[in-house]
Amino acid sequence: MTTRNILLWSPSAIVFDCDGTLMDTEQHWQEARNITFRLFGLKPPTGFADRAKGVHYSECGALMAEETGKPNLGDDLADTLLTTFTALVDQNPVTMPGAAALVRLTARHLPLAVASNCPREMVESCLHRAGLLSSFSHVVVAGEDVRPKPEPDVYRVAARLCGVPPEEALAVEDSFTGMESARRAGLRVIGIGPHPKGPEAKHADLWVPSLADRELVRWAGSWIDA
């Protein structure tokens, strides 16, 4: 779907990613990764932050172990990473620009859900402290029966819980991992961040610099007026 076509479409439900989309937690993940590396006496590999973005914390621990040549430390690294991240977020939960306003606007007219790779308690705590949890009908996280992104499970489940077919739901994401998950589930996708060059641009149907983008806000207003 092209950008022009998606702007003529109205979703029946919206599914938001949490980390980096609603909540400004990527800085916390980066700090938690650095602290975890230091605690284990390991040096972060070059470019690791880019490879880890949007990855489930357990898989991130395994990746940290693999790339530092310590394959037996995967579980310990993952546990320390999550504990450190949780403490950092609890100290300073911050919403992304435009997130709170867009959620509150659309929640009055459409079912909203969150689809995240983070543990439920972490997602719900962040959203509660930001005053946004009550705006969401459902919070879907990876677990035993729901595979983490980039698998499509969290988005498929979220659309189903919202009572709409995947093709009628809109995903809002900041990571390529999450965008792949949403597209595989059949949702249309808004990508948050700079418009990438080359084939990576196709990860999203529409790219906006932030949820405060004027074009996005005007488009959201058209869903309400429709």
Side-chain angles (χ1 to χ4, degrees):
M1 168 159 295
T2 66
T3 296
R4 183 174 62 181
N5 286 340
I6 197 175
L7 292 175
L8 299 176
W9 171 77
S10 296
S12 298
I14 309 174
V15 185
F16 290 86
D17 169 56
C18 187
D19 279 10
T21 298
L22 295 175
M23 303 301 300
D24 187 5
T25 51
E26 184 53 36
Q27 59 179 314
H28 299 316
W29 278 120
Q30 179 59 40
E31 186 176 357
R33 289 190 292 263
N34 289 338
I35 290 172
T36 300
F37 276 125
R38 288 199 301 271
L39 287 174
F40 283 82
L42 303 173
K43 182 179 179 181
T46 302
F48 186 83
D50 291 335
R51 294 189 293 279
K53 187 174 182 180
V55 175
H56 189 265
Y57 77 91
S58 63
E59 295 181 2
C60 186
L63 188 63
M64 295 168 80
E66 177 186 347
E67 294 200 9
T68 55
K70 303 290 184 180
N72 294 330
L73 291 180
D75 290 344
D76 292 337
L77 286 164
D79 290 345
T80 302
L81 175 63
L82 180 59
T83 300
T84 305
F85 172 75
T86 300
L88 292 171
V89 172
D90 191 57
Q91 293 167 13
N92 185 31
V94 180
T95 57
M96 294 296 289
L102 184 64
V103 166
R104 290 173 179 141
L105 172 66
T106 54
R108 297 197 298 266
H109 305 274
L110 296 171
L112 305 185
V114 171
S116 177
N117 270 354
C118 287
R120 178 178 299 277
E121 59 271 20
M122 173 57 58
V123 174
E124 292 185 347
S125 175
C126 286
L127 295 176
H128 174 71
R129 292 197 62 181
L132 296 178
L133 183 59
S134 61
S135 297
F136 293 94
S137 303
H138 307 283
V139 173
V140 180
V141 300
E144 285 188 12
D145 299 321
V146 180
R147 295 171 297 175
K149 305 171 188 177
E151 299 297 333
D153 300 23
V154 288
Y155 277 104
R156 269 189 198 143
V157 172
R160 176 173 55 79
L161 291 174
C162 286
V164 304
E167 62 270 18
E168 293 183 13
L170 175 68
V172 185
E173 271 283 357
D174 74 305
S175 73
F176 292 144
T177 299
M179 293 174 205
E180 180 182 349
S181 172
R183 293 190 71 83
R184 288 174 64 185
L187 283 73
R188 301 177 189 184
V189 181
I190 288 179
I192 309 299
H195 195 297
K197 298 179 181 179
E200 291 180 335
K202 296 181 180 179
H203 278 81
D205 298 290
L206 173 68
W207 287 90
V208 295
S210 79
L211 295 182
D213 179 75
R214 291 183 180 180
E215 181 180 42
L216 176 61
V217 174
R218 284 197 300 268
W219 184 34
S222 73
W223 310 338
I224 294 164
D225 296 335

